[in-house]
Amino acid sequence: MFNIIIFGPPGAGKGTQSSNLLEKYGLQHLSTGDVFRANIKGETELGLLAKSYIDRGELVPDEVTNNMVKDFIERHPDVKGFIFDGYPRTLDQGKYLDAVLQDFSSEINCVVALKVDEDELTKRLLERGKISGRADDQNEETIRNRFAEYNFKTEPLLEFYQAQNKLHLVNGMGSIEEIFERLCKAIDTHLS
Ligand code: AMP
């Protein structure tokens, strides 16, 4: 398997770039945010639980998120690999993911992290909120909480992957095509 993590603060373009990447590399997309939203829509127990955190812009507890991801991976045994989008978001999630992939004799091959400044991110999220109707994109306080969660809980993960020589910081400003090209260039260095 060839597994990629796409990192970046809320609004960095992870979802948009993931759809292009999974097409190019033939990978399975796993967006934990999308799975939570589908559960909220379906009014499942998991959805009800996740909603209270998502509405406040807080992370859903690790145990809940990790179990959901493990279940997703187990239900896709024949894929060429995964693009993890919005997961892992804490060091514990990162370590958990390594252990799950190890059970499949696999690992994370490459981590790309999109860098975008906060003013631009806020602008993008508020715009997206108007179109998508996502409540967590429409409230500036929730957006600020999401940035804080990213800065305190998710950014430390970058060091974890840097120490493994898997991390690429990618400029996330510019056109979708330009950013896609930068991402592919980074990813291709891990394909031989
Ligand atoms: P996203 O669509 O990736 O921006 O995620 C939307 C929201 O879902 C986040 O603000 C969190 O509340 C929750 N969420 C998504 N992925 C995770 C994760 N890996 N760990 C904890 N919470 C998550």
Side-chain angles (χ1 to χ4, degrees):
M1 281 206 277
F2 185 75
N3 299 301
I4 300 173
I5 295 174
I6 183 158
F7 260 115
K14 299 187 294 293
T16 308
Q17 294 297 341
S18 292
S19 353
N20 293 335
L21 291 172
L22 63 97
E23 205 172 300
K24 170 160 176 161
Y25 295 100
L27 302 174
Q28 171 66 48
H29 187 210
L30 169 53
S31 155
T32 40
D34 284 353
V35 179
F36 284 134
R37 280 184 289 277
N39 276 276
I40 291 171
K41 211 168 159 201
E43 296 180 350
T44 67
E45 204 177 312
L46 173 65
L48 262 178
L49 175 77
K51 189 174 182 330
S52 56
Y53 294 96
I54 292 176
D55 284 351
R56 291 194 298 266
E58 291 171 12
L59 294 186
V60 176
D62 282 347
E63 202 193 336
V64 176
T65 310
N66 285 339
N67 285 335
M68 183 178 89
V69 169
K70 182 168 188 266
D71 176 61
F72 188 95
I73 293 174
E74 284 173 351
R75 281 189 290 108
H76 293 81
D78 299 323
V79 297
K80 271 173 66 183
F82 292 93
I83 294 188
F84 295 98
D85 160 7
Y87 181 90
R89 262 171 149 109
T90 65
L91 197 52
D92 276 353
Q93 290 182 11
K95 291 179 181 166
Y96 183 85
L97 179 60
D98 278 353
V100 173
L101 289 175
Q102 212 168 38
D103 287 344
F104 290 85
S105 310
S106 191
E107 62 172 350
I108 291 300
N109 300 87
C110 170
V111 179
V112 282
L114 292 166
K115 298 299 249 186
V116 180
D117 66 59
E118 273 191 19
D119 285 348
E120 170 71 14
L121 292 171
T122 309
K123 207 173 81 191
R124 287 188 195 176
L125 287 171
L126 291 170
E127 274 306 309
R128 185 171 76 183
K130 283 188 212 155
I131 300 161
S132 70
R134 267 180 67 169
D136 61 342
D137 284 345
Q138 295 178 30
N139 178 314
E140 285 202 43
E141 197 188 325
T142 311
I143 291 175
R144 269 196 300 276
N145 272 344
R146 289 161 70 199
F147 289 156
E149 290 282 71
Y150 182 81
N151 292 335
F152 290 118
K153 296 182 183 165
T154 308
E155 276 235 327
L157 253 178
L158 296 182
E159 251 174 60
F160 178 67
Y161 292 111
Q162 175 73 62
Q164 301 175 38
N165 284 325
K166 292 177 178 169
L167 179 68
H168 299 262
L169 300 179
V170 175
N171 178 1
M173 304 283 280
S175 72
I176 292 177
E177 294 76 21
E178 282 166 347
I179 300 164
F180 181 61
E181 216 170 286
R182 291 176 202 141
L183 289 171
C184 293
K185 216 166 136 193
I187 293 166
D188 289 346
T189 62
H190 294 267
L191 287 167
S192 50

